[in-house]
Amino acid sequence: MNISYKWLKDYIDIDLRPEQLEAILTQTGLEVGSIEEVESIKGGLRGLVIGHVVTCEKHPDSDHLSKTTVDVGTGEMLPIVCGAPNVAAGQKVVVATVGTTLYDGDKEFKIKKSKIRGEVSEGMICAEDEIGLGASHDGIMVLPESAVVGTPASEYFNVESDFSIEVDLTPNRVDGASHIGVARDLAAFLSKTEKISYKKPSVDEFKVDDNSLEIPIEVVNREACPRYCGVTISGVEIKESPEWLQNRLKAIGLSPINNVVDVTNYVLFECGQPLHAFDADEIMGGKVLVQTLPAGKTFTTLDEVERELHQDDLMICNTEEPMCIAGVFGGINSGVKDATKNIFLESAYFDPVFVRKTARRFALSTDASFRFERGVDPNNTIYALKRAALLIKEVAGGKISSNITDVYSTPVEDFKVDISFANIKRLIGKDLGAETIKNILTSLEIKIDSETETDLSLSVPPYRVDVKREADVVEEILRIYGYNNIEIPTKVNASLQYAAKPDPVKIRNIAADMLSAWGFNEIWSNSLTKASYYENRESLSDENTVKLFNPLSADLNGMRQTLLFGGLETIAYNANRKNGNLRLFEFGNCYFKTGSELSEAPLKNYSEEEHLALFISGEKERESWAVAQSSSSFFQLKAYVENLLAKFGVGTNRMKAEEFSTDLVPEGLSYAAYNGRKIVEFGVVARKLQKEFDIESPVYYADINVGNLILEHKNSKTTFAELPKYPEVRRDLALLLDKGVRFQQISDLAFKQERRLLRQVDLFDVYEGKGVPDGKKSYAVSFILRDDEKTLNDKQIEKIMARLIQTYEKELGAQLR
């Protein structure tokens, strides 16, 4: 946002240089991005002077050129060749001398001494469009006889010089989005050392001339429009704005349009209240309705674009059709035109959320929507309306022909904040003193309702939308007191902190290091996702999705319940770019809604869990002459999962395995602790789900509950033992089993039968085919035995193996092959 230095001084009496203002405003939170000198006419007419055409005769070698001699007050006549048809001796003209730079939009050219058709020319007699004083190029400018030769053109035409101060507003500081807002902060800062205040232009002269043009207002949607005011002005004359008004707008980068529109823009940048002027004769039915319309209705805006309305777009309507998108953009038919004689002037407070959503839907950003989205002052609408009405009467004539209609059913109250001196000292790090604090609050128009020796009760005006808590008030005090005035402490205070064991950060880093070493790449997906992902799912309920009230888009309108969909988006993105061999992992929180917001403690109805997701897809190894190509598989993922869990002391012997099937993972395996705490689920992603993301290669996915893993790791114990002195013994069994028997059952039964000497059980071959009956399979299983106190003999070994065979026959119906 741009601020005019001269315009700012209309509201506060200061003699600070622009560079000094920059330092002060930046300290108060209105950071200055740049300062640029601007002039009412580009180039400031430097090098142009008033001249007198002494002689004028036809060019000897051209039918359309003239040879002139011009007196510019230097005592020397300048020969100038001129092509204007209206040049004549005795005229007072504007002359661009040699070395003068003239501008044509963004282009510029320099006047040089030259020869034109053999005649010397040492300057240029100018038309008004050539020096930025108009649009006509019919001939040179001819000035009145009273013009004094040698007078600089900048002086003759009263060229104004100003400074444009660019303020980089943060989203919370909409109170500074006007000249009066900046003056208010400036006065608060300077009042620490001098008696100074800012002043608002008076509107006491506002009065109703007659009631000849009453236009009633009906606000249908009070939620979207808490306050709406209007007044009519009849008999106006639409024309160019006076020079002072044009110069003010040009100084901040705005192009003047006409006197009425320019006044609405002037008041917007003066006090921060957007206004809109309607042609009153175009308001059909003589009534204004503020309402939303059914979805699908079309509306053509000022830029001649036809837009389809949403059911939540607030519109300013007459009795037959919409006229304006409230707080965003006007309509093509209802605005002020050259023939307009009567206007209806609007000043309103629209709900920021409604305006923001509408502006985003239509991809529109205007000076009005910028302010309405952030929250204008609901108590400033009447002042701005009166100020604009008086200015319109001044520059366009007419009379105020109705009372002000003010629809304001539920006034916006001040924010109530209690603050203690002790907390101010604690947060700032310095005791400012009660009087200093109260003076700063008063200068910021924050009212002190009551005070004690330790506390203050405050009323914060509604235009300070960002000051609602004690910490916000402390920040206000500090920015006016000055961050640079807080001394740097000479000592550093430190305290010993107890770190919980195990350290979650360390666990994440260990897991990430392991996965990276195995060739995995870490991904980060957005925790905001499509709520539609959870619709019509068996394993994930749409009712458990945490949905946003004000989403940026339909693709970011809910919070994720699982890391699966973000991972599939990443896999699809890579696969579409010929990068299909993937190993990915992601740490992230998942969010769940478990109750109703209407309960007494709504926060208890929400929960979040940290999860670790693994994804593998494509080929198992990169293409190489040394390794045969093979696709990723469930067992590859299973190995990664079990090795990762084993690193944290959570081996499969401490968990209960269970097969599962869901609509997202139709074939999967889960490991849970024996207390029921689920650690991990993994399996192959459903083909139907892969098709939703246009993924062709199978995707294998594991979901580890990090919180539960940390709890199990906390309960695990790491033991150390010396290297065994006695040899291990291996025995193998070939078992014929039903297809439904899992290796985990074989392992569990083995350790249940022999806890002391059995060290390891492994599956090294699976066979189904010729020689094996239908419904059966053959497992080749190895058993490692060792006694740490002596060498095992054959009798002991055979006894153990006989017990194992007997157990398998009894419990699993196994047969030896």
Side-chain angles (χ1 to χ4, degrees), residues 55 57 59-61 65-70 76-82 98 111-125:
T55 66
E57 57 187 55
H59 193 290
D61 196 25
L65 296 177
S66 301
K67 279 176 56 182
T68 68
T69 54
V70 183
E76 183 182 346
M77 297 296 174
L78 296 180
I80 297 177
V81 176
C82 180
V98 172
I111 302 299
K112 300 176 181 178
K113 182 178 179 178
S114 61
K115 276 191 176 184
I116 301 176
R117 298 282 182 96
E119 297 293 330
V120 174
S121 183
E122 297 182 5
M124 173 177 155
I125 302 174

Side-chain angles (χ1 to χ4, degrees), residues 136 208 224 600:
S136 173
V208 178
E600 293 182 1

Side-chain angles (χ1 to χ4, degrees), residues 240-255:
E240 260 192 8
S241 296
E243 189 176 356
W244 71 266
L245 180 52
Q246 290 194 45
N247 288 343
R248 284 287 188 258
L249 297 179
K250 287 177 182 177
I252 59 172
L254 294 183
S255 299

